Amino acid sequence: GIERIKLSQTKDEIEIDNGNLKTELGSLSHKFDLLEQDRNRLSDLALHLETSKNNLEECLQNLDREKGDLNESYTLLGMEKEDILDNLEVSNREREKLGQTIVRMAKAREDLVKEKHELKEQLGMVEMKLDGALENNKRLTEEKGALEHKLHDTEQKLARVELHKDSLEREVEELGQLKEDLTVELASVNKEKEIQGVT
C-alpha cells in the first residue's frame, strides 16, 4: 500500500514536472518564435545595411569621380583665370590706345571745326566774287547784245555801201565807155578836119 502511495506521489510529481516541462516548452517555443522574428528582422536589417553599404560605396565612387571632375574643373578655371588676366592686360593696353586715339580724334575734330570755319569764310568770299562775276557777266551780256545790235546795223550799212559802190562802179564803167566813144568820135572829127584843111 505504501509503494502504491509512493508511486501515486511519483506519478503526480511526474505529471507536475510534465506540466511544468510543457509550460516551459511552450515558453521556449514562444521565445523561439520571438528569436525567429528577431532573426528575420536582423536578416532584413542586415540586407538593408548591405544595400545601404552598397549605396554608400556607390556614393563614395561618385564623390571620387566628382572630386576628380572638380579637380579638373579647378585646373581649367586656373587656366581660364590666366587667360582672363592676359586678356585684361591686352584690354588695358587697347583701352590706353583708344584713349590716345580719342585725344587725337578730338584734336582732329577741333582742327576740322577750325578748317570748316576758314572754309566758310573762304566760301563767303568766293560767293561775293561769284556775285560780282555774275553781275559783270550780266553787264557784259548786255554790252554784247548792244554790240551785236550795232554790228547788225553796221552790216546793213556796209551792204548798202556795197550796193552803192557797185552802182558807182557801173557808172564809172559807163563813163569810161562814154569817154572811149567820145575819144574815137573826137579823133574822127579831127581827122575829118585835117582832111578838110588839106583840101
Side-chain angles (χ1 to χ4, degrees):
I2 294 170
E3 284 181 7
R4 192 181 294 167
I5 292 168
K6 282 185 180 177
L7 281 170
S8 179
Q9 286 176 350
T10 303
K11 183 185 172 189
D12 290 340
E13 286 174 4
I14 288 168
E15 282 177 357
I16 290 167
D17 287 343
N18 191 28
N20 288 337
L21 283 171
K22 277 184 181 178
T23 304
E24 196 173 338
L25 183 64
S27 175
L28 283 171
S29 179
H30 180 64
K31 282 183 181 176
F32 179 78
D33 288 340
L34 290 174
L35 284 170
E36 187 66 24
Q37 287 174 12
D38 284 345
R39 191 178 73 79
N40 289 335
R41 276 201 305 275
L42 286 170
S43 179
D44 288 343
L45 184 60
L47 187 64
H48 177 68
L49 285 171
E50 184 68 24
T51 307
S52 297
K53 176 175 167 273
N54 290 336
N55 288 338
L56 281 171
E57 284 177 351
E58 194 177 340
C59 284
L60 281 170
Q61 286 174 358
N62 289 336
L63 282 172
D64 281 341
R65 276 198 298 273
E66 284 180 17
K67 184 185 171 188
D69 291 344
L70 282 171
N71 281 333
E72 192 176 341
S73 296
Y74 183 76
T75 305
L76 289 172
L77 281 171
M79 290 163 66
E80 283 180 18
K81 181 187 169 189
E82 289 296 324
D83 289 342
I84 287 168
L85 287 172
D86 289 343
N87 289 336
L88 186 63
E89 192 176 342
V90 171
S91 180
N92 283 335
R93 282 202 297 270
E94 285 179 357
R95 191 181 67 182
E96 193 176 335
K97 283 181 186 173
L98 278 171
Q100 292 171 358
T101 304
I102 287 166
V103 169
R104 280 200 303 274
M105 285 178 76
K107 178 73 170 64
R109 182 175 173 275
E110 193 179 327
D111 292 342
L112 279 171
V113 168
K114 197 183 292 181
E115 193 176 338
K116 181 185 168 189
H117 183 67
E118 289 172 1
L119 283 171
K120 201 172 178 183
E121 286 182 352
Q122 288 177 13
L123 183 66
M125 289 168 67
V126 167
E127 283 176 346
M128 281 172 63
K129 284 182 182 176
L130 182 64
D131 288 343
L134 287 170
E135 193 66 37
N136 197 31
N137 190 41
K138 185 182 172 187
R139 184 175 53 76
L140 287 172
T141 303
E142 288 172 357
E143 286 180 9
K144 180 189 168 209
L147 282 172
E148 283 176 346
H149 185 66
K150 282 182 184 176
L151 181 64
H152 182 65
D153 288 349
T154 304
E155 282 174 349
Q156 286 182 334
K157 284 179 185 175
L158 186 61
R160 287 198 295 273
V161 168
E162 283 289 333
L163 285 170
H164 188 57
K165 180 189 167 196
D166 288 344
S167 175
L168 287 174
E169 281 176 348
R170 277 197 301 277
E171 283 182 23
V172 168
E173 195 178 327
E174 287 172 2
L175 285 171
Q177 188 65 46
L178 185 61
K179 182 187 171 190
E180 281 181 22
D181 292 347
L182 286 172
T183 303
V184 169
E185 196 176 333
L186 184 62
S188 175
V189 168
N190 285 337
K191 196 171 183 184
E192 202 174 320
K193 274 185 181 181
E194 281 177 14
I195 292 167
Q196 284 177 3
V198 170
T199 308

